[in-house]
Amino acid sequence: MPKKIISYGMFMAAVAVLAMTVITQVGCTTPSQSAQAEGAQGDSALASGKGGAQLWAENCMRCHNIRDPKSFSDAQWQVAVHHMRVRAGLTAEEHEKIVVFLQSAN
Amino acid sequence: MACLHRMLLAVLVVVVTASPPVFAADAAGDGDFVPRKEYDQLKSDFEAFKKEVRNSPAGPNTANAGQEQFEYLEAELQAIRHMAEMAQAGSTKFLITGYGFATYSDMEGSNSTFGAGFNPIFLWELTDRLLFEAELELELDAMSTALALEFAHASYLVNDYVTVGAGKFLTPFGVFGERLHPAWINKLPDKPLFYRSLVPHTSVGAYVRGGFPVASKMNYVVFVSNGPQVQTTTAANSGLLNFHNFSDSNNNKAVGGRVGYLPIPELEVGGSFLVAEVSPEGFAGDVTAVLFGFDISYAKEIDQIGGTVDVRTEWVWSDVEDATYDPTGAMGFGPITYDNERNGGYIQVAYRPSKNSNKVIKNLEGVFRYDFLGLPSGAPASADQQMYTCGLNYWVTPSTVLKAAFQVTDTDGADTLHAFLFQSAVGF
């Protein structure tokens, strides 16, 4: 029982930390703050201010090697990136920018 | 004019037959189809040419023969337009992807053996929002070929942050199952120890998932499924969770999910959970299982070390409510009751000198993985295991890899076993 309490406690603590992060951060970024912060986007996982090439490199290499954009046609990339959005939890903006980049680079 | 007529026809024939088709699943490329873009360009050129000729002093208005030839060309163009429209790809897009692999393993105490597998993945994008995906798994058993449905589910993009889906899907618990298990992505020839027995690989149910920008970035998934079932029939398996039952055994569904947080692009931290009632119908008492897990992934190309470093760890704790197995002894091994808590995980580090100028060295990758599996001391025939695996990979292409690994397995109360593992994997 003590092990269960410790395990549950650790998990709830982690959830609480995560929740506090979300609560304190959601709504704090205004459009003007986003525009000012665009210059510092290199260290952030946010898609705003980043091009498709950068988002493609950052998101894809988290799990696997990056394939040559020429390996698929425009229509094939559309399907592949849609599949990756579902599987890897890409945001809508990342999805759109990565598709546009790959279709222009193949 | 006759010469002009023949020249025009020749141009039309050459342009139409030399234009390759554009399809989502283009494999033949036999030149029988006219792409829309080229057809439009052809039509535009022809209209411009017609206008130029009509306005010239020797245009068709001055001769019936010229008018007839232009009408003939007009009819030919209409026929070509019809052919092009018939050959146009529809709004549905289709892609076959997947991977194949071949293995050789030489484990102490077992026969060395070759193996192979083929996993085609079918992706249909029926609309911009609707996707159906399915994977088949064909692997060799001792005497036959095993065919399995790895996953088959449809998903719908409700909005920028919410995707819903249902079917059979890779269980979103941790990251190895959903993202890293394909042979061309997994950096070692085998799967981590904990993944073979502590967590479900697939689930049948429905999910809600998505990604959204929150200060940095987060992704989430929540799912409901038929859920696992605790095994009760033999001494060796009593208390183990069976994740391969695809129907609901007790009219209670499992609920699970994962939240991932990316403070910086190269780092993701995640927490997972799964809760389910796992006692089969007819079992004395309800037994609930609770699984918690966390995962950390870091992958970055760093100039200072001349290459790419990839560090990952996942850990899971499994707590199955205490129960008495074979309470009357009728099955020959009971009654058995024990504190049914298990845990396990892995830590993996990989380095690839991707910045090296040598074409061979830049494609080499060294990998090390430590595995741990902790089993309940009161369970029959259970012993903690630790595994150390060192591997060297060579990436022929970004999705084709040759792997070689040496593995040492320590099992409490048993001899240490050594193994050589080799694998070639192709992602397509």
Side-chain angles (χ1 to χ4, degrees):
Chain A
M1 183 58 75
K3 284 187 188 175
K4 288 185 187 178
I5 293 174
I6 292 170
S7 298
Y8 294 164
M10 284 173 61
F11 180 76
M12 293 309 297
V15 170
V17 168
L18 209 55
M20 289 305 298
T21 304
V22 171
I23 289 168
T24 55
Q25 295 299 323
V26 168
C28 287
T29 305
T30 63
S32 58
Q33 287 173 333
S34 294
Q36 289 171 10
E38 271 189 15
Q41 286 301 314
D43 291 334
S44 168
L46 273 177
S48 298
K50 292 186 180 179
Q54 184 177 359
L55 291 171
W56 167 65
E58 288 176 355
N59 285 281
C60 299
M61 76 169 292
R62 196 179 304 122
C63 296
H64 56 72
N65 290 335
I66 297 179
R67 296 197 193 197
D68 188 338
K70 292 184 178 58
S71 57
F72 285 148
S73 68
D74 285 5
Q76 289 172 322
W77 274 126
Q78 185 166 333
V79 185
V81 180
H82 188 158
H83 163 68
M84 283 290 102
R85 172 174 172 175
V86 177
R87 180 69 63 86
L90 300 179
T91 66
E93 186 177 1
E94 289 171 336
H95 176 195
E96 288 158 18
K97 284 185 176 179
I98 291 172
V99 167
V100 168
F101 162 70
L102 290 169
Q103 290 176 338
S104 67
N106 63 354
Chain B
M1 291 308 291
C3 182
L4 177 64
H5 170 218
R6 280 196 288 275
M7 222 166 51
L8 274 174
L9 271 182
V11 167
L12 281 172
V13 168
V14 167
V15 167
V16 167
T17 56
S19 301
V22 173
F23 290 106
D26 176 36
D30 58 6
D32 286 338
F33 308 101
V34 178
R36 184 75 193 184
K37 192 177 173 182
E38 290 199 28
Y39 164 73
D40 288 340
Q41 182 63 41
L42 177 66
K43 187 183 173 191
S44 171
D45 288 345
F46 178 66
E47 292 297 329
F49 181 77
K50 258 196 343 184
K51 187 177 175 183
E52 185 181 344
V53 170
R54 281 202 184 104
N55 292 336
S56 73
N61 289 333
T62 62
N64 286 340
Q67 180 63 29
E68 286 172 2
Q69 286 170 354
F70 274 102
E71 286 172 357
Y72 173 76
L73 288 174
E74 190 86 33
E76 288 292 303
L77 184 62
Q78 293 292 340
I80 293 170
R81 175 193 291 164
H82 180 69
M83 278 172 52
E85 286 172 352
M86 293 293 288
Q88 279 291 313
S91 60
T92 300
K93 294 179 179 63
F94 171 66
L95 174 64
I96 297 180
T97 179
Y99 59 96
F101 60 89
T103 62
Y104 175 77
S105 62
D106 186 358
M107 294 184 178
E108 217 169 339
S110 304
N111 294 333
S112 61
T113 185
F114 287 97
F118 171 51
N119 292 59
I121 298 175
F122 307 90
L123 305 175
W124 279 274
E125 187 184 68
L126 296 119
T127 71
D128 287 349
R129 292 174 179 260
L130 186 59
L131 179 74
F132 180 80
E133 49 189 296
E135 178 181 342
L136 296 180
E137 181 181 60
L138 293 94
E139 284 194 34
L140 299 177
D141 280 343
M143 301 289 282
S144 62
T145 302
L147 171 63
L149 181 65
E150 181 94 327
F151 60 79
H153 58 105
S155 59
Y156 184 79
L157 304 179
V158 177
N159 58 36
D160 285 359
Y161 313 117
V162 179
T163 299
V164 298
K168 185 170 190 271
F169 48 91
L170 297 175
T171 306
F173 190 102
V175 292
F176 184 83
E178 260 206 316
R179 305 182 191 175
L180 306 177
H181 86 273
W184 71 275
I185 298 177
N186 185 8
K187 293 187 185 295
L188 287 170
D190 65 349
K191 296 174 186 173
L193 265 183
F194 89 105
Y195 196 72
R196 305 175 199 179
S197 60
L198 290 191
V199 298
H201 181 53
T202 60
S203 296
V204 181
Y207 56 80
V208 179
R209 64 192 308 160
F212 53 93
V214 177
S216 188
K217 178 180 153 182
M218 294 185 71
N219 53 65
Y220 72 94
V221 54
V222 181
F223 67 92
V224 60
S225 69
N226 286 337
Q229 178 180 312
V230 70
Q231 300 183 70
T232 63
T233 56
T234 69
N237 71 19
S238 59
L240 275 174
L241 289 178
N242 175 20
F243 297 109
H244 298 291
N245 58 304
F246 299 128
S247 59
D248 194 334
S249 60
N250 52 20
N251 205 28
N252 274 282
K253 299 295 177 283
V255 176
R258 177 183 179 272
V259 174
Y261 176 59
L262 293 90
I264 52 176
E266 51 270 20
L267 174 66
E268 182 172 4
V269 181
S272 307
F273 79 98
L274 175 68
V275 181
E277 189 178 306
V278 296
S279 46
E281 281 193 1
F283 188 75
D286 294 334
V287 180
T288 301
V290 180
L291 278 65
F292 291 117
F294 83 84
D295 57 85
I296 302 175
S297 306
Y298 179 86
K300 188 176 174 67
E301 188 171 60
I302 302 174
D303 290 341
Q304 289 82 348
I305 60 173
T308 305
V309 66
D310 185 304
V311 181
R312 303 177 183 277
T313 183
E314 293 186 55
W315 221 268
V316 61
W317 290 266
S318 169
D319 185 355
V320 178
E321 211 168 355
D322 294 352
T324 301
Y325 304 95
D326 189 19
T328 64
M331 295 182 196
F333 64 86
I336 296 176
T337 302
Y338 60 91
D339 193 5
N340 196 353
E341 292 180 8
R342 302 160 198 263
N343 77 96
Y346 73 94
I347 300 172
Q348 178 177 290
V349 180
Y351 171 73
R352 178 178 175 183
S354 49
K355 295 261 184 200
N356 195 290
S357 56
N358 184 284
K359 287 182 186 177
V360 173
I361 293 175
K362 70 187 289 185
N363 290 323
L364 289 171
E365 181 178 50
V367 189
F368 172 77
R369 189 182 73 207
Y370 168 74
D371 288 270
F372 174 77
L373 184 63
L375 302 179
S377 56
S382 73
D384 292 355
Q385 277 189 307
Q386 296 184 83
M387 188 182 283
Y388 310 84
T389 310
C390 290
L392 183 65
N393 301 331
Y394 182 75
W395 292 92
V396 180
T397 74
S399 61
T400 304
V401 60
L402 305 173
K403 309 177 198 172
F406 176 68
Q407 189 172 79
V408 177
T409 305
D410 282 333
T411 305
D412 284 357
D415 293 337
T416 299
L417 297 178
H418 305 87
F420 285 97
L421 308 170
F422 300 91
Q423 187 181 65
S424 65
V426 179
F428 50 85

